[in-house]
């Protein structure tokens, strides 16, 4: 997974964990509570995970072994964020 920086793409890990969405880069390890996630959508070959107006994680569908796993990732994230009080 990657995101653009002045220095070029930076690899990322994005995982669904029991209590949080976890994102890791070379320099940061971040945990987002489900209530912090604003939106999860799939746009073509990209899964967009918006955690604030200025922070979005882009997860390429090609990061999954098969398209069905990408769909499952989106479904699970959407279920988690809609179950918040």
């Amino acid at each position: 997974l990657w995101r653009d920086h002045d220095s070029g793409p930076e690899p990322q890990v994005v995982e669904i964990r029991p209590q949080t969405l976890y994102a890791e880069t070379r320099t940061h390890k971040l945990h987002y509570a489900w209530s912090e996630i604003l939106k999860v959508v799939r746009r073509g070959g990209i899964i967009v995970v918006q955690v604030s107006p200025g922070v979005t994680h882009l997860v390429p569908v090609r990061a999954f072994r098969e398209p069905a796993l990408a769909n499952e990732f989106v479904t699970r994230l959407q279920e988690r964020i809609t179950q918040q009080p």
Side-chain angles (χ1 to χ4, degrees), residues 37-42 47-50 74 77-78 81:
I37 299 172
L38 302 177
K39 176 172 49 173
V40 178
V41 295
R42 181 172 172 178
I47 298 167
V48 179
V49 182
Q50 186 178 16
V74 170
L77 280 177
Q78 289 171 336
I81 64 176

Side-chain angles (χ1 to χ4, degrees), residues 16-33:
I16 297 173
R17 294 197 172 174
Q19 301 300 318
T20 64
L21 177 71
Y22 174 75
E24 179 180 333
T25 68
R26 282 184 231 125
T27 56
H28 296 88
K29 293 180 181 181
L30 305 164
H31 291 268
Y32 299 103

Side-chain angles (χ1 to χ4, degrees), residues 1-15 22-30 56-60 62-63:
L1 308 177
W2 59 272
R3 67 178 171 184
D4 288 324
H5 285 282
D6 293 337
S7 62
E10 181 178 3
Q12 288 190 73
V13 172
V14 178
E15 297 176 348
Y22 174 75
E24 179 180 333
T25 68
R26 282 184 231 125
T27 56
H28 296 88
K29 293 180 181 181
L30 305 164
T56 302
H57 292 278
L58 304 176
V59 182
R62 63 182 161 72

Side-chain angles (χ1 to χ4, degrees), residues 60-78:
V61 172
R62 63 182 161 72
F64 297 88
R65 283 192 309 267
E66 54 190 67
L69 294 173
N71 293 337
E72 182 179 345
F73 182 80
V74 170
T75 299
R76 286 188 181 193
L77 280 177
Q78 289 171 336

